[in-house]
Amino acid sequence: GEDVEQSLFLSVREGDSSVINCTYTDSSSTYLYWYKQEPGAGLQLLTYIFSNMDMKQDQRLTVLLNKKDKHLSLRIADTQTGDSAIYFCAEGYSGGGADGLTFGKGTHLIIQP
Amino acid sequence: GAVVSQHPSRVICKSGTSVKIECRSLDFQATTMFWYRQFPKQSLMLMATSNEGSKATYEQGVEKDKFLINHASLTLSTLTVTSAHPEDSSFYICSGGGLDTDTQYFGPGTRLTVL
């Protein structure tokens, strides 16, 4: 079955880079997503990558995809206190409305001053 | 980006009553809407997928008679939790996807507490 795994916590110092890792099992996944959730709030789409891409960069965010190892990572450069949140990795088969997403349990990013 | 709203944001109800949660896509037409459930410190679990004008498709283990979903228009889907019990207390999040979108856009969620 489908499974998305993430470590539960990551602690970094303010100003350092954060790297959040995710592994998935379904090799037929077409889209891989990173969402951010702040306490008591809904999900904010940060970025996504197509399965035929290796890397995507968007300002402070860099997504790396190793399709062979089914490994996805999100790097946040110059981590700030406002980046403190839970980050969810998710996989899907289609970009828009056709299929629901499978989420990991989320990585709680903790920023140390 | 596309905006999805949910109403109410929080609801507290007595056991045995029914609660309706609305999900609206404000600036795009959501051909498909999804309902997820999130337990504290857990991941989101897909409950059901609804396409405008047709019956919802429920994930395994989700009772369709308990969680009634209606997707009457391209901008509105509702989830009704019938005969709610304390174990139904959770954070319910909807999302909308369309033929011209690259991803799903999530609502802010509804916190349901059943006493």
Side-chain angles (χ1 to χ4, degrees), chain A residues 77-92:
Chain A
D78 187 25
T79 309
Q80 302 298 310
T81 54
D83 296 324
S84 181
I86 299 175
Y87 290 80
F88 289 95
C89 169
E91 62 174 356

Side-chain angles (χ1 to χ4, degrees), chain A residues 31 33 35 37 40-45 48 50 86 88 94-106, chain B residues 32-34 36 38 41-44 46 49 51 91 93 97-99 101-109 111:
Chain A
Y31 292 76
Y33 303 89
Y35 286 90
Q37 185 180 37
L43 272 71
Q44 174 193 351
L45 175 66
Y48 64 93
F50 299 112
I86 299 175
F88 289 95
S94 64
D99 295 297
L101 303 181
T102 301
F103 285 84
K105 283 186 167 39
Chain B
T32 307
M33 283 187 169
F34 305 87
Y36 294 83
Q38 185 181 30
K41 299 182 181 178
Q42 294 291 319
S43 182
L44 280 76
L46 179 66
T49 302
N51 291 296
F91 194 51
I93 305 178
L99 295 175
T101 64
D102 285 334
T103 185
Q104 300 172 25
Y105 296 95
F106 284 80
R111 174 76 60 194

